[in-house]
Amino acid sequence: MEKRYKIGLFFVLILISALVVVLMWKRHTMDGFPREGDRVEQRQDVSSEQDDQAPKTAEEIYQVQKTNTLTTADTVCIYENIDKKDGSMSVEVGKLPAKYIGLNREALEKLLAEDSMAPTLAEKQKGFKSQHLELFSAEKIKVLRIYDTTQGTTGFYMMEVDGEVCVFEHDKTTLYFRTGLKVEDLPADVRYELKEGKFMDSELQVYHFIESYSS
């Protein structure tokens, strides 16, 4: 009886030892794999990295251009001119005007808007209406300019006829009067303007011109 008890006890000890070994082995193998919480955190880290590397939207690129990118003396300036009269388009490519150098997108858009509100006389004579920025980068900018060369019903054109400055109505064919001014007595830049017709808004402007160059 005592012998059988000892044998049974021996087997029980062996079984307990085996269970302990199995438990220790499982614990060791589980330590080699990330826990569920760790996997979630790792996925979040990977997701964050992917977000950082994801392509930026057009709005994000626009915001970066407004603040970080500046024009330089090497920036190419492209003017795309459209005439509302017939939809014709022309393109001018050249150096960036000095006043537009060193500006970010926001500052350039503001200056272009200001120039639209107060165009030069030469631009007004060509029928300038408005302009806005279409493309902006450090390498090149593109400005869309709208003109309307539809012939108006008011105003006058000063033109050369046989060496004399004559005033025509807005149609450029109806003679209004002869000024008596000799073209050869005028500055070179004025003579150049007369070749295409120098536009005047009113009679008062015409008379001021005549007084300025009368001897």
Side-chain angles (χ1 to χ4, degrees):
M1 184 70 176
E2 182 180 355
K3 184 176 181 179
R4 285 199 299 274
Y5 172 76
K6 291 181 178 181
I7 293 174
L9 181 62
F10 175 74
F11 281 108
V12 170
L13 292 173
I14 292 176
L15 181 59
I16 292 172
S17 299
L19 289 173
V20 170
V21 170
V22 171
L23 290 173
M24 291 182 66
W25 178 80
K26 286 186 176 181
R27 182 177 179 182
H28 176 73
T29 55
M30 289 181 68
D31 288 341
F33 295 93
R35 294 185 295 276
E36 184 63 24
D38 295 338
R39 288 199 294 272
V40 172
E41 183 177 352
Q42 183 177 7
R43 285 197 297 270
Q44 291 175 343
D45 292 341
V46 172
S47 177
S48 297
E49 292 178 0
Q50 291 176 344
D51 290 341
D52 293 339
Q53 297 175 359
K56 296 184 180 298
T57 64
E59 178 62 23
E60 289 172 332
I61 294 174
Y62 178 82
Q63 292 299 330
V64 170
Q65 285 186 331
K66 284 179 66 176
T67 56
N68 296 339
T69 307
L70 300 178
T71 56
T72 69
D74 296 324
T75 302
V76 176
C77 183
I78 303 172
Y79 288 112
E80 187 174 288
N81 307 314
I82 297 179
D83 191 343
K84 291 175 64 177
K85 177 183 177 181
D86 54 11
S88 60
M89 184 186 72
S90 63
V91 177
E92 302 174 24
V93 181
K95 293 183 178 180
L96 188 68
K99 64 180 179 179
Y100 296 153
I101 296 175
L103 303 179
N104 61 16
R105 180 169 193 144
E106 187 174 23
L108 180 56
E109 287 178 331
K110 181 179 179 181
L111 188 53
L112 287 171
E114 292 175 354
D115 289 347
S116 292
M117 298 297 293
T120 64
L121 179 59
E123 287 296 306
K124 288 177 65 177
Q125 290 177 351
K126 290 191 295 184
F128 176 85
K129 295 298 180 182
S130 64
Q131 65 182 1
H132 70 269
L133 186 64
E134 273 205 332
L135 176 66
F136 178 86
S137 70
E139 291 73 31
K140 64 180 178 181
I141 68 165
K142 184 167 77 171
V143 178
L144 177 63
R145 297 192 298 194
I146 305 298
Y147 292 86
D148 188 356
T149 58
T150 303
Q151 203 167 54
T153 58
T154 61
F156 302 92
Y157 282 94
M158 307 191 70
M159 304 175 67
E160 175 187 356
V161 177
D162 298 329
E164 182 184 357
V165 179
C166 295
V167 181
F168 289 81
E169 295 185 7
H170 63 274
D171 58 5
K172 285 188 175 183
T173 58
T174 304
L175 179 64
Y176 192 63
F177 69 90
R178 295 178 176 272
T179 66
L181 293 176
K182 298 298 182 181
V183 173
E184 62 185 16
D185 296 331
L186 301 177
D189 58 333
V190 177
R191 293 199 302 269
Y192 177 81
E193 290 178 320
L194 292 174
K195 289 182 179 180
E196 297 295 328
K198 184 175 179 62
F199 181 76
M200 297 289 178
D201 289 316
S202 63
E203 285 187 346
L204 181 61
Q205 193 173 9
V206 171
Y207 288 121
H208 281 168
F209 175 88
I210 296 173
E211 289 178 0
S212 297
Y213 296 104
S214 296
S215 54

